[in-house]
Amino acid sequence: MWNLDCDWYSPKSLLSSPTQYDFPGDRFIPNRSLMDLDQAQSLLTNRTKKSQNCQLSERYRKIIDEKLNLDSEGKAFRMLVFRGSPKSSRKSIRHIDEMREEEAAAFQNSSNQHHRRQMPKREARILDAANIRNDFYTNIMDWGKNNIIALALGSEMYLWNSNNRNVSKVFEADGEDPPTSVAWSEDTKFVATGFMCSKLQLWDAETFKLVRNLEGHGKRVASIAWNGQILTSGSHDKSIINHDVRAKRHVISQVKAHRAGVCGLKWSKRGNILASGGNENHIYVWDSSKMSSSSFLHCFKDHHAAVKALAWCPYDFGVLASGGGTEDKCIKIWNVHKGTCICSIDTNAQVCGLEWNRHHREILSGHGFSTSTPQNQLSLWKYPSMTKVGDLNRHTSRVLHLSQSPDGLTVVSAGADETLRFWDVFGPPVNNTSEISNLDNLLSLKISPIR
C-alpha cells in the first residue's frame, strides 16, 4: 500500500480516513467522492482576473489561499482528488493469472483429498502358474490390448482370456529350447516369442499356427518389443535387431553397443525412442531414425547391476524409469532429453519389473531378492516425489514379471511361487472432464473472464 502522508499527493483529510486503498495500475482516475462540486462550479464560473497589485499584504494572500484551498468546514480541498479505489478482497487485473494458478492448486488439493485411494489388502484373483521359470533374465508374460494374457510356462505357451476365463495352449516347444520372451503385436493378431537357443517366431493368435521364423541372433532372445510393424529383439549375443515383419528381408537394422546380454527393451509411447537395458548394468537410449548407424543418444551407467525393468512415463514422454538387479536395488528416473538422472531411490530389493499408473501419478515396482526385509513384494510409489504409498506382500517368492490390463486399472504379477496375482491397485481413474468443468465453475465465482 502506498504512503499517503505527502500533501502534494492528496488532501490531509485522507490521512484520517479509516478506509484502506490500493493502487493497482500506472494511471489514476479522478475520485469525485471527496469534492464539493458546488464550490468547484462557483470557482470556475466566477473566476476573476488575478490582481497585479504587488503591494497586497501577506495576510490578504493567506485569506485568498484559504478560500481557494479550504472547503466550507475548513478542511483541505482539492478540485480533483487522485486516489486509489477502496481496497477489497478482489485482486487487481494484473494478478488474474496468478489467481487462476492459486485457485487451480487449491482445487487440485481438494480433488486429491476427495479421490484419496487406499492400497488393496489382498489380490483380487490368484491363478496357478505351474512350471514358470524362476529366471530373472526372461520376459515371458504380456497382457495384450485384447484383454488376453500370453504366458510361457516351462516349454509351453498359453493364452488366458480375462473376459471369459478361457485358457488356450498355443504350442509346446522343445524342452531344451523353452520360450524366454513374449510380446503381443499392437493389433493383437500375433504373439511374438523369443527362445533360449536364439529362435524368434511369430504365432497367429487366432489359429495358433506358426507364421514365420525371424533369424539373426546367436543366443537367447531375452527381450522383445513391438513398435508398429517393427519387432525389436534383444539377445544375450549383445545385439539388438529391428525386424520388419512384413518384409521378406526382415532385418532393417542391427546394433551392438552393449558389452553383455540385452535383458530389457522398451519403446516410448510415440515410438521414436528405444531404451535397452543390459547385463553390464548400462542403459542405452536410441533414436529410431538413427539406429542403422549404431549411434545412440545416451548411455546411462549409474546402475550397479543388470537392468531388466524399464518403463516410459505415460504423461511425460521424456521420462524413463529403470530398475537394477540384486547388487543395485535402485529405481532411477531419467530425463532422456537432457540425458540426466532426475532421482534415484534405494528399494532394498532386486527390481524385476516396473509399471506406470496411467490414471494417477504413481509407479508400481515388483521385487525379488533382498538382504533385508521386506522382499518378494510389490511397492507403490508417488511420482515425482517417489515417496512410498505402501507394499503388497502376498507372494512367497520373488516377483518375476509385471503387466497391466488394457484399461490400466489392474496389474498382474507373476512370481517364482508359481502364481499369478491380480491387483486392483491403479484405479479408479479420475474423471478429467468433470474436474475441468468444476475448476472452471470455481474460478468463475472469483474473477470475471472480461479483461
Side-chain angles (χ1 to χ4, degrees), residues 90-101 447-451:
R90 178 171 175 175
K91 293 188 178 181
S92 61
I93 292 177
R94 67 178 179 176
H95 294 308
I96 284 181
D97 291 337
E98 296 177 9
M99 189 175 183
R100 286 186 182 274
E101 293 178 1
I447 56 177
S448 169
I450 300 175
R451 301 184 63 167

Side-chain angles (χ1 to χ4, degrees), residues 100-220:
R100 286 186 182 274
E101 293 178 1
E102 293 173 2
E103 296 297 340
F107 182 81
Q108 182 63 40
N109 291 335
S110 64
S111 297
N112 290 341
Q113 293 176 1
H114 179 71
H115 293 286
R116 188 178 298 278
R117 300 177 299 107
Q118 295 182 347
M119 291 281 287
K121 295 182 179 179
R122 58 182 301 123
E123 57 278 90
R125 176 184 295 272
I126 303 176
L127 297 179
D128 290 334
N131 300 321
I132 191 170
R133 290 181 61 85
N134 186 3
D135 189 343
F136 177 81
Y137 299 102
T138 60
N139 293 275
I140 54 176
M141 182 176 69
D142 190 27
W143 200 332
K145 294 180 180 179
N146 53 4
N147 212 17
I148 298 176
I149 296 176
L151 176 68
L153 298 176
S155 60
E156 300 173 334
M157 174 66 68
Y158 291 93
L159 301 181
W160 183 79
N161 192 315
S162 182
N163 296 319
N164 55 28
R165 311 294 189 260
N166 288 340
V167 179
S168 304
K169 181 178 176 179
V170 181
F171 64 82
E172 181 175 359
D174 183 346
E176 299 298 321
D177 191 15
T180 51
S181 54
V182 173
W184 280 100
S185 63
E186 294 182 5
D187 58 10
T188 67
K189 292 182 179 180
F190 307 106
V191 178
T193 308
F195 293 83
M196 179 71 75
C197 299
S198 79
K199 286 190 305 185
L200 179 59
Q201 297 180 338
L202 289 185
W203 289 82
D204 189 300
E206 292 286 339
T207 63
F208 304 157
K209 292 183 178 180
L210 177 63
V211 176
R212 68 180 303 183
N213 284 294
L214 302 171
E215 299 177 351
H217 288 297
K219 292 184 179 180
R220 173 201 297 210

